[in-house]
Amino acid sequence: MNKQSNSYTVIYIIIMVVVVGVALAYTSMALKDRQNDNVAADKMRQILSSLRIAPDQDVKTQFASIITDQYLVNDQGQRIEGDAFAVNMANEVKKPAQERQLPVYEARLADGSLKYIIPVYGAGLWGPIWGYIALDDDASTIFGAFFNHEGETPGLGAEITKPAFSDQFQGKHMMVDSKLLPVEVVKAGQKPSTGAEYVDGISGGTITSKGVSAMLADCFTPYNAFLQSLRNK
């Protein structure tokens, strides 16, 4: 075949595209298990961070020793079948509250105290935000909080990942007079009109701050029956 011909060039390109495509597909499949393991390990680190625990290098063993139970509940507070760790919160928050699968993680800390961890997911200024809220066994007092984001602005909305923001939630209550009133994020110097407890928002990150407030309200509301059942025990 004439290497200077157009047909040779086209065939050569097609062969190269096929070879590269096959190589990339094989590499992706070969690394899939490792990628999934990394995603799972990162999720474990985030959950442990909400418990104010620094993750170890062997985070899986650490997670298994601290998280004593994980399960799903519905909006009636009843346990349902399913894998809590495998639930995609990005998909769940798109559903009506009564159709959501609601993950719960139970942790037993070194001092013997029991904590309940609730995942949250919402929208910031430039993309999704998410986190985990660890509650004391009264199902109201926040023991710790962890927040993360996909594309918030450094120095502004991205500050939700910093302890200066998340540490404000410690000791705040999700219940006021036995009524679920998720903690709100407000502009410094202001108070919510709902009577809910609050933390100061991020200076220059108003939309992200409002996103955290909306996220907590949207994600905690379906847990109301479950949290009330814990309080009644």
Side-chain angles (χ1 to χ4, degrees):
M1 180 180 292
N2 182 4
K3 293 184 178 182
Q4 304 302 319
S5 67
N6 291 336
S7 58
Y8 177 85
T9 302
V10 172
I11 293 173
Y12 178 82
I13 291 173
I14 292 173
I15 292 174
M16 289 302 298
V17 168
V18 171
V19 170
V20 171
V22 170
L24 289 174
Y26 175 80
T27 301
S28 177
M29 291 177 63
L31 296 176
K32 186 175 182 179
D33 288 344
R34 184 179 299 179
Q35 292 170 343
N36 290 339
D37 284 345
N38 289 339
V39 170
D42 186 55
K43 185 173 181 177
M44 293 175 186
R45 292 187 187 96
Q46 294 182 24
I47 293 172
L48 292 175
S49 294
S50 75
L51 292 164
R52 292 150 50 185
I53 295 173
D56 290 340
Q57 287 188 338
D58 186 5
V59 69
K60 291 183 178 180
T61 299
Q62 183 186 25
F63 184 85
S65 68
I66 295 171
I67 303 301
T68 55
D69 199 3
Q70 45 187 304
Y71 49 87
L72 295 171
V73 298
N74 58 21
D75 70 323
Q76 300 301 309
Q78 303 162 331
R79 285 205 190 198
I80 57 176
E81 293 295 324
D83 182 355
F85 197 81
V87 168
N88 185 329
M89 288 299 294
N91 292 334
E92 293 304 308
V93 296
K94 297 175 184 177
K95 302 176 183 178
Q98 64 271 21
E99 296 179 10
R100 295 184 192 179
Q101 298 181 94
L102 307 172
V104 178
Y105 301 90
E106 292 186 9
R108 185 71 66 175
L109 302 189
D111 63 2
S113 61
L114 176 64
K115 311 297 178 187
Y116 296 92
I117 302 97
I118 305 296
V120 292
Y121 191 96
L125 175 60
W126 301 113
I129 56 177
W130 63 90
Y132 296 90
I133 305 296
L135 302 176
D136 286 338
D137 59 4
D138 65 358
S140 174
T141 308
I142 297 178
F143 177 76
F146 172 87
F147 300 105
N148 210 337
H149 68 95
E150 186 173 282
E152 299 307 286
T153 307
L156 298 175
E159 294 297 297
I160 64 172
T161 64
K162 302 293 181 62
F165 178 72
S166 59
D167 287 355
Q168 294 183 85
F169 287 82
Q170 295 175 20
K172 300 294 182 180
H173 297 89
M174 286 292 189
M175 297 275 187
V176 178
D177 296 330
S178 298
K179 179 182 178 181
L180 180 66
L181 283 176
V183 174
E184 295 188 28
V185 184
V186 299
K187 187 176 181 179
Q190 296 184 352
K191 296 181 180 180
S193 59
T194 60
E197 296 192 7
Y198 60 95
V199 301
D200 290 340
I202 299 162
S203 178
T206 302
I207 294 179
T208 307
S209 297
K210 289 181 178 179
V212 174
S213 262
M215 172 174 69
L216 293 176
D218 178 61
C219 291
F220 263 84
T221 297
Y223 283 93
N224 183 44
F226 171 72
L227 296 176
Q228 295 291 358
S229 70
L230 294 179
R231 291 173 63 81
N232 291 333
K233 284 184 178 180

